[in-house]
Amino acid sequence: MRILLSGCTISLVAWAGFQVVMGKAWQGFLNTAADNIKLLALLGVCFSMLKITEHLEASAELGCFIAGLMLKIAQGHYGKGSHGSPGTASQLHEGGHAWASVIHVIEPVKDFFLAIFFASVGMHLYPTFLWDNIMLLVTLTGTTVLLKYTVTLAVRGSVQNV
């Protein structure tokens, strides 16, 4: 029950945060703020979601994922037309340029955190675990490759027949 309540609270906070923080006021801020201020504001959103999910006894990774999702949805909603379409010239002038500069500013930070994430995941894989489960890993890898090859051939054959 506690997990369900925590999940609902996180969803409510994320939705309210998106409506309030990522609204039209955010767009005005992005159009006028300097690049370093934009970076600090975006990191503030990410770290706020991290602390909220930690406080609700969920993982910090979930908070970072939700914050990234909020930013991506906001980019799609305000940076382009609705539902990811290119939008009109006025929509692109209002939001697209602001989000292009945001993406330019946040890209190095994203790459840095992505490297840390993959390094930390790699540190959780012990060689003894891999050796103990070698048959399972080889079977799953072989099945995936074989299935992908089969599906590709089937799709390619059906496309050539059309």
Side-chain angles (χ1 to χ4, degrees), residues 104-139:
H104 173 72
V105 167
I106 201 91
E107 195 74 28
V109 177
K110 182 188 87 167
D111 292 342
F112 175 71
F113 283 130
L114 197 59
I116 291 174
F117 171 75
F118 283 117
S120 68
V121 168
M123 285 186 239
H124 283 99
L125 292 176
Y126 298 108
T128 55
F129 170 80
L130 296 175
W131 184 252
D132 291 342
N133 296 298
I134 191 74
M135 287 308 297
L136 177 65
L137 293 171
V138 168
T139 304

Side-chain angles (χ1 to χ4, degrees), residues 20-30:
V20 174
V21 175
M22 301 294 184
K24 293 290 185 183
W26 183 257
Q27 287 307 112
F29 170 76
L30 291 179

Side-chain angles (χ1 to χ4, degrees), residues 35-130:
D35 285 349
N36 56 350
I37 302 299
K38 289 177 191 176
L39 180 61
L40 286 174
L42 292 171
L43 288 174
V45 169
C46 294
F47 285 119
S48 296
M49 285 306 299
L50 178 143
K51 293 309 286 180
I52 288 168
T53 54
E54 272 187 345
H55 180 72
L56 294 172
E57 298 178 3
S59 68
E61 292 85 2
L62 178 65
C64 294
F65 174 75
I66 291 172
L69 191 61
M70 287 170 55
L71 294 174
K72 193 66 175 173
I73 291 171
Q75 177 192 3
H77 185 69
Y78 296 114
K80 301 176 182 177
S82 60
H83 306 295
S85 64
T88 64
S90 64
Q91 285 174 325
L92 289 175
H93 179 68
E94 290 173 10
H97 176 68
W99 278 105
S101 70
V102 167
I103 297 304
H104 173 72
V105 167
I106 201 91
E107 195 74 28
V109 177
K110 182 188 87 167
D111 292 342
F112 175 71
F113 283 130
L114 197 59
I116 291 174
F117 171 75
F118 283 117
S120 68
V121 168
M123 285 186 239
H124 283 99
L125 292 176
Y126 298 108
T128 55
F129 170 80
L130 296 175

